[in-house]
Amino acid sequence: DAGVTQSPTHLIKTRGQQVTLRCSPKSGHDTVSWYQQALGQGPQFIFQYYEEEERQRGNFPDRFSGHQFPNYSSELNVNALLLGDSALYLCASSVFPPDLNSPLHFGNGTRLTVT
Amino acid sequence: AQSVTQLDSQVPVFEEAPVELRCNYSSSVSVYLFWYVQYPNQGLQLLLKYLSGSTLVKSINGFEAEFNKSQTSFHLRKPSVHISDTAEYFCAVSDQGAQKLVFGQGTRLTINP
C-alpha cells in the first residue's frame, strides 16, 4: 500500500521563475493538503483540495495555487518565486469528511531552493 | 486564532535518560492536539493524539503526553530514550479534527550515548 508520494524530491529554481510540485495521495484518500516548512520552522498550512476544489486556504499569497485531478492527485504551483519561498513543501492526504480517528498522512516532501 | 509554542528548540539528553518536550497552545475553541515526529529527510509521522476522553495518551514506542486544559499544555514525555529517538518533534493543534493543523516550531531531540 503506497503512502503519499511527492515529486521531485529536490528542485532548484531562480528568483522570478515558476515551479510545479506534484503529490499522489495514499490509497483510499481523497483529500490533499499542502504545507510549507521553512528551515528551522514548523509546517504552515497552504491549502486543502477536495473534489478538485480548494476548500480551505492558509495565509499565503495568490502566487501559490493548486489543482486536484480526478484521480485525487494534486499539484502545487508557485509563480514569481522569491528567495523566501525556499522551503520543504509537504503534501498530506486524508479522507473527507474529516474523521477524528484518521490522521493526516504526510509525504517526504519536495525541497525547493530558490537562488 | 490558534497558536502553538514549543518552549525548547533543542533538547540534548543522554541515552536511557528521561525526557520532556514542552508544548503550550492557545485557542478560543475546543481543540485536538497532536505530536508528530520528523526523522532526517523524511516527512512527518503521527506519534500520538488527544481527541477527547482520557487526558493521558500513549504511543506504541513508549512516548506519552498529557492534556492539561487549565495550563493549556500538552507536554511529551518518555521515561527512557534511545538513540533511535533522535529526531525533530512537532506539537500541533486543530479545531477540525486531524485537518488543517497549526504546528509549533519544533524541538530537536538529540540523544547522546
Side-chain angles (χ1 to χ4, degrees), chain A residues 35 37 41 48 56 100 104, chain B residues 38 51 96 99 101 105:
Chain A
Y35 287 79
Q37 185 179 10
Q41 303 292 318
Q48 182 186 71
Q56 297 190 77
L100 289 179
L104 290 176
Chain B
Q38 186 175 36
L51 303 179
Q96 302 178 25
Q99 311 289 320
L101 301 173
Q105 293 191 313

Side-chain angles (χ1 to χ4, degrees), chain A residues 16-98:
Chain A
Q17 286 187 318
Q18 179 264 344
V19 68
T20 298
L21 311 181
R22 296 177 176 82
C23 171
S24 292
K26 177 181 169 63
S27 178
H29 286 184
D30 55 11
T31 302
V32 173
S33 302
W34 287 91
Y35 287 79
Q36 180 195 64
Q37 185 179 10
L39 194 62
Q41 303 292 318
Q44 284 192 291
F45 176 79
I46 303 175
F47 43 52
Q48 182 186 71
Y49 275 82
Y50 171 66
E51 288 189 330
E52 302 179 47
E53 291 189 14
E54 183 181 293
R55 299 291 176 169
Q56 297 190 77
R57 188 178 183 92
N59 188 26
F60 278 81
D62 292 344
R63 298 186 297 107
F64 289 77
S65 63
H67 189 77
Q68 186 180 35
F69 299 93
N71 67 352
Y72 309 122
S73 67
S74 176
E75 289 182 349
L76 164 65
N77 301 292
V78 186
N79 295 321
L81 284 167
L82 304 174
L83 295 179
D85 295 331
S86 295
L88 180 67
Y89 288 85
L90 295 166
C91 173
S93 72
S94 58
V95 296
F96 193 92

